[in-house]
Amino acid sequence: MSHVKNATPSPADIRILDLFAGPGGLDVAADVLGYRITGIEWDEDACATRAAAGMDTFRGDVREFDAAHFPRAQVLTGGPPCQTFTVAGHGAGRRALDDVLGYIERLRTAVSSAGAEWKDIHRTWREISEDLAEKAAKAKEVKVEKGKVEALRAAERKAIKKSLQQQGSPPEKIKQILKALRASRDLPPGDAGLAHLVETYNVLGHALNRLKAQLEELGDERTGLVLQPLWWVIERSRRPGLEPYEAVILEQVPAVMPVWEKYTEVLAVLGYRTRTQLMFTEAFGVPQTRKRAVLMARLGDTDIPEVAETHERYRQRTVSTGVSTSAHGETLPWDPEGDDPDPKEAWVSMESALKKARSIAPDLPDRPAFTVVSNYGTGGDPGARGRRDHDAPAATVTGKVSRNRLVHKGTDTDLPDEFDRFTLAEAGVLQTFPVAYPWRGKDQSQQIGNAVPPRLALHVLRHVLEPELTREEARARLDQAVADLEAWEPGEPVEVREHGQWEGHPLTGR
């Protein structure tokens, strides 16, 4: 049931299954559009938030479920974990990406083979799963050994420090020697008495490096999770007795785009038209600069155009005046094409989003003009903190959003204590969650940072699932959905289901 009073009726009674559903970013967007959605999520805290928000949920590892459990789902969505791809192009990340692309090619070959039967396709998936499980088991053993070596190395380091203290070495010298050890540099002359301890320490260091290399080679067990949505689509398309999903929507960080591009090769064989798109969140009304790689697929012969941007993109530019007035300079909108036959709105600033939220929740802080100083360093320098003024979109909202400092605009002077950090409700608003969204459990900042921005999800869901609307109808639909999203309030909390609790669920047919 929709939580929005007098919600616009959905053009179709669409039932969505959301894998890796998180706290409900895509779910609340689907809710205000009038769709019925069920999420699968393993994290207990995210499930607590979902339950409080009234979002239908199965708790568990996606790998413990399969597509046959939910035969009445018409649309598959999801955002599988991305940690192993965030460093794509650098060692472990590049290998993880190559491994996944290789697995997808094996699946493409299996579904493309003339006369391929379900048992043959399933055999390929079983072999891939066994390969991933074997690597995960080996990696677990290596991690145990790595932990032992790290403990021994820490003990040797303490022994070196103790020996130096007993010799009467000054604290500054001890600090330099320990720093040299961390950097694997030779010790300064005159420390030959430490030779045995240092030799042991270095031997353990070499062993530790070998174990780290082994772990990189084996990969992260989460790497295989990015294959799950594809397998669910294949199962629904080729397993006897099941019907294909009508549409598929997947999103992740830009580094996952090569995976989505490879997905399209398999989806084409299965009868889908596809579109991949790198989406800039501020260009869809999200008061935050963030990039997402999105895969959209629809069964049949109708092409999927790109999702049209409704707002200007944002870029930060320092305008030279001969005098440095601030560390961040002035900001300008980004307009790569000049004249636009369909003019875009200006991007939404933090100030504008938070002001609108205060009109709904007056107890939110009403700050003076501020600058956000990021918890992250930039350009590899931990001391070079990113800065963004209140009248611009926020930088990417991450799990560390609650650590960002808020200072008086154009200064390094902290705001008073009651204003110097974003509240959880405000962080959610910058991610375009309703101000009334009921965050629960631990690590609520992390839940917010990991979530799909609901306003971005509104655009993608409407675009893929309601292609028959005219431009004017689509714009009116989105305008109403945005208003409903901002005013959304949670309904009655729901019970989270576990694997096996199929009875009476609308997607299981049992």
Side-chain angles (χ1 to χ4, degrees):
M1 178 181 293
S2 174
H3 300 303
V4 181
K5 296 179 181 179
N6 302 317
T8 303
S10 171
D13 185 14
I14 296 174
R15 298 185 295 272
I16 302 173
L17 181 63
D18 188 23
L19 307 182
F20 313 100
L26 188 138
D27 302 62
V28 71
D31 188 49
V32 300
L33 286 168
Y35 308 144
R36 290 192 288 174
I37 186 165
T38 296
I40 301 177
E41 172 58 41
W42 73 272
D43 181 72
E44 182 177 359
D45 299 314
C47 285
T49 294
R50 293 178 61 84
M55 300 300 171
D56 188 40
T57 306
F58 279 85
R59 180 170 181 256
D61 189 327
V62 166
R63 292 169 293 190
E64 296 174 355
F65 297 81
D66 60 55
H69 289 139
F70 307 96
R72 294 186 177 179
Q74 299 162 289
V75 177
L76 186 71
T77 63
C82 64
Q83 290 90 340
T84 55
F85 299 106
T86 55
V87 289
H90 301 279
R94 181 69 247 182
R95 278 191 289 273
L97 179 58
D98 289 344
D99 286 346
V100 165
L101 297 180
Y103 290 135
I104 296 174
E105 177 60 24
R106 288 170 62 180
L107 289 169
R108 189 199 65 78
T109 300
V111 299
S112 302
S113 299
E117 297 183 1
W118 168 246
K119 64 178 182 180
D120 301 317
I121 297 171
H122 189 267
R123 183 186 304 114
T124 299
W125 175 248
R126 187 174 64 247
E127 290 170 353
I128 291 172
S129 299
E130 290 172 352
D131 184 32
L132 289 167
E134 183 179 339
K135 288 183 176 181
K138 180 61 177 176
K140 187 175 181 179
E141 294 176 5
V142 174
K143 286 178 182 177
V144 171
E145 183 63 26
K146 177 173 171 281
K148 293 177 180 178
V149 172
E150 286 174 336
L152 289 172
R153 200 162 183 249
E156 285 298 312
R157 182 180 174 82
K158 288 181 180 179
I160 292 171
K161 182 177 180 180
K162 183 177 180 180
S163 177
L164 289 168
Q165 289 172 335
Q166 291 174 341
Q167 294 174 17
S169 299
E172 187 58 33
K173 181 179 180 182
I174 294 175
K175 183 178 179 180
Q176 290 176 356
I177 291 174
L178 295 178
K179 185 176 180 180
L181 284 173
R182 280 197 301 270
S184 300
R185 294 197 300 267
D186 293 334
L187 288 176
D191 293 299
L194 298 173
H196 176 69
L197 290 173
V198 171
E199 182 181 358
T200 302
Y201 182 86
N202 288 337
V203 168
L204 290 170
H206 293 314
L208 186 60
N209 288 337
R210 285 195 298 272
L211 292 170
K212 288 179 179 178
Q214 279 185 264
L215 285 174
E216 285 193 4
E217 192 68 31
L218 291 167
D220 190 308
E221 66 171 341
R222 295 168 296 183
T223 298
L225 292 174
V226 79
L227 298 171
Q228 285 292 323
L230 180 60
W231 175 244
W232 285 55
V233 177
I234 292 172
E235 184 177 4
R236 281 288 296 263
S237 299
R238 293 300 177 87
R239 183 170 179 172
L242 299 179
E243 296 182 358
Y245 294 112
E246 296 174 19
V248 179
I249 299 170
L250 304 172
E251 67 84 38
Q252 250 311 333
V253 296
V256 181
M257 185 64 88
V259 176
W260 296 160
E261 296 286 0
K262 191 67 177 176
Y263 259 48
T264 64
E265 298 178 17
V266 185
L267 293 172
V269 175
L270 299 175
Y272 290 86
R273 291 297 179 96
T274 62
R275 169 73 63 177
T276 57
Q277 184 173 345
L278 182 64
M279 303 183 76
F280 296 74
T281 58
E282 78 277 11
F284 297 91
V286 178
Q288 172 196 170
T289 54
R290 188 186 194 107
K291 298 176 186 176
R292 305 304 287 177
V294 178
L295 167 63
M296 299 166 276
R298 196 162 52 221
L299 194 65
D301 298 326
T302 305
D303 287 333
I304 302 176
E306 283 200 345
V307 186
E309 296 179 349
T310 55
H311 292 66
E312 294 171 335
R313 294 187 193 177
Y314 169 87
R315 66 174 177 176
Q316 185 167 283
R317 177 188 294 175
T318 300
V319 180
S320 178
T321 61
V323 178
S324 177
T325 58
S326 73
H328 45 277
E330 299 181 23
T331 57
L332 297 172
W334 187 74
D335 183 9
E337 299 179 358
D339 294 335
D340 190 332
D342 187 14
K344 298 179 176 65
E345 298 179 40
W347 36 256
V348 180
S349 68
M350 290 181 277
E351 177 185 34
S352 175
L354 295 175
K355 181 178 180 180
K356 183 171 287 189
R358 284 197 303 276
S359 71
I360 300 170
D363 58 330
L364 289 181
D366 186 2
R367 297 180 181 82
F370 63 85
T371 296
V372 181
V373 182
S374 173
N375 181 62
Y376 286 100
T378 58
D381 180 2
R385 305 294 182 180
R387 301 171 69 94
R388 194 69 69 82
D389 287 342
H390 70 126
D391 52 1
T396 300
V397 173
T398 72
K400 303 296 190 295
V401 62
S402 60
R403 300 184 187 180
N404 292 345
R405 291 171 52 222
L406 303 184
V407 300
H408 288 280
K409 183 177 179 180
T411 75
D412 285 318
T413 304
D414 288 335
L415 291 176
D417 290 347
E418 64 270 26
F419 296 145
D420 68 347
R421 296 290 189 276
F422 286 127
T423 66
L424 290 170
E426 289 177 310
V429 166
L430 296 179
Q431 194 75 297
T432 64
F433 276 90
V435 68
Y437 207 73
W439 301 102
R440 297 289 188 272
K442 303 173 185 176
D443 259 347
Q444 293 177 19
S445 293
Q446 194 66 51
Q447 292 182 48
I448 294 169
N450 288 347
V452 181
R455 186 156 175 174
L456 181 70
L458 285 178
H459 285 265
V460 179
L461 287 168
R462 204 291 314 158
H463 183 75
V464 176
L465 304 183
E466 302 173 17
E468 72 283 359
L469 298 186
T470 66
R471 177 184 294 185
E472 292 73 22
E473 290 171 336
R475 189 58 184 256
R477 176 92 159 113
L478 282 171
D479 287 346
Q480 183 61 55
V482 169
D484 289 343
L485 179 66
E486 292 170 345
W488 181 98
E489 292 184 359
E492 291 296 319
V494 297
E495 292 291 329
V496 174
R497 294 181 182 234
E498 301 286 340
H499 184 282
Q501 294 180 319
W502 318 121
E503 195 70 28
H505 193 276
L507 296 189
T508 66
R510 303 187 189 183

